Amino acid sequence: MATVFGVFGGFLLSFLAARNLAPNRAVLWITRRYLEIARTVPDLVWALIFVFCFSVGPMAGVLAISLHSCSALGKLYSEVNENIDMRPLEGVKAAGGTWFDQIRYGAMPQVLPNIISYTLLRFEINVRSSSIIGYVGAGGLGQEFRTAMSFQEYTDLSALFLIILVTVIVIDFGSEKIRHKVIGLEDRP
């Protein structure tokens, strides 16, 4: 859930944070500063802040990972946006398209493979991150880790570690397949 919120927020902010796509310099400056500030604070610190604000539980973890993912992906997506060919956008504008039309029909087809790749990478990072964030009381497997460690249940700790390891391996394998399908490499070894 946190990855979905982070991707959605980062995607929207990335167009406002790209020098070649921002509607004006003030929006560009404000968006970039927001992304920098939110990205500078580690997600573990955000989790501690949200645990203090909203109490122990998964809501704090979702908010922490969402905020950090939004800022990190917003930065990555905006860099992808800055490297696009502007001629399709100029064509849409010449045909009477709005700024949103330029983004939809001129920029999106160019940046979609990179956005998918960065999103899948961030999902993998968030799965690993959620196990650490939960340790400070923000829910998830990390909270189970903490409980198992406090009761010295090493078989449970081993099982939790294997669950995270297998999950990350499956996500990595699946994301590679999806990325290759999107960019047209599914037939290559």
Side-chain angles (χ1 to χ4, degrees):
M1 181 184 261
T3 303
V4 170
F5 292 150
V7 167
F8 184 71
F11 180 75
L12 294 177
L13 292 174
S14 71
F15 297 107
L16 302 175
R19 292 189 204 289
N20 57 341
L21 300 176
N24 59 55
R25 294 186 69 69
V27 170
L28 174 71
W29 190 87
I30 290 169
T31 306
R32 283 184 170 248
R33 297 304 78 84
Y34 167 76
L35 293 175
E36 288 169 0
I37 292 167
R39 195 174 62 250
T40 301
V41 179
D43 49 5
L44 185 60
V45 175
W46 283 122
L48 289 170
I49 291 168
F50 288 129
V51 164
F52 178 75
C53 293
F54 299 109
S55 179
V56 173
M59 181 176 172
V62 169
L63 290 173
I65 293 174
S66 296
L67 184 60
H68 199 268
S69 293
C70 174
S71 60
L73 289 174
K75 171 69 171 164
L76 291 171
Y77 294 166
S78 70
E79 290 177 356
V80 170
N81 290 338
E82 288 179 348
N83 292 320
I84 64 172
D85 181 10
M86 293 300 290
R87 289 179 293 191
L89 280 80
E90 292 166 3
V92 172
K93 186 176 183 179
T98 64
W99 182 81
F100 292 105
D101 293 333
Q102 293 174 46
I103 298 301
R104 167 64 183 98
Y105 298 108
M108 282 299 302
Q110 296 181 61
V111 299
L112 195 58
N114 285 330
I115 285 178
I116 290 171
S117 181
Y118 285 135
T119 299
L120 294 171
L121 173 66
R122 192 65 202 189
F123 178 61
E124 179 186 331
I125 291 168
N126 288 348
V127 167
R128 288 182 280 126
S129 198
S130 67
S131 62
I132 301 302
I133 285 178
Y135 196 78
V136 298
L141 284 177
Q143 203 161 353
E144 296 299 323
F145 255 83
R146 186 177 188 175
T147 303
M149 284 183 72
S150 67
F151 291 122
Q152 297 180 350
E153 296 177 1
Y154 297 113
T155 55
D156 289 355
L157 280 172
S158 300
L160 289 168
F161 175 74
L162 286 174
I163 288 170
I164 292 171
L165 179 67
V166 169
T167 303
V168 169
I169 290 171
V170 167
I171 290 169
D172 187 43
F173 181 75
S175 65
E176 180 183 354
K177 292 295 184 187
I178 292 170
R179 189 173 48 81
H180 284 179
K181 188 168 183 79
V182 168
I183 62 175
L185 294 177
E186 70 272 357
D187 296 331
R188 296 182 189 172

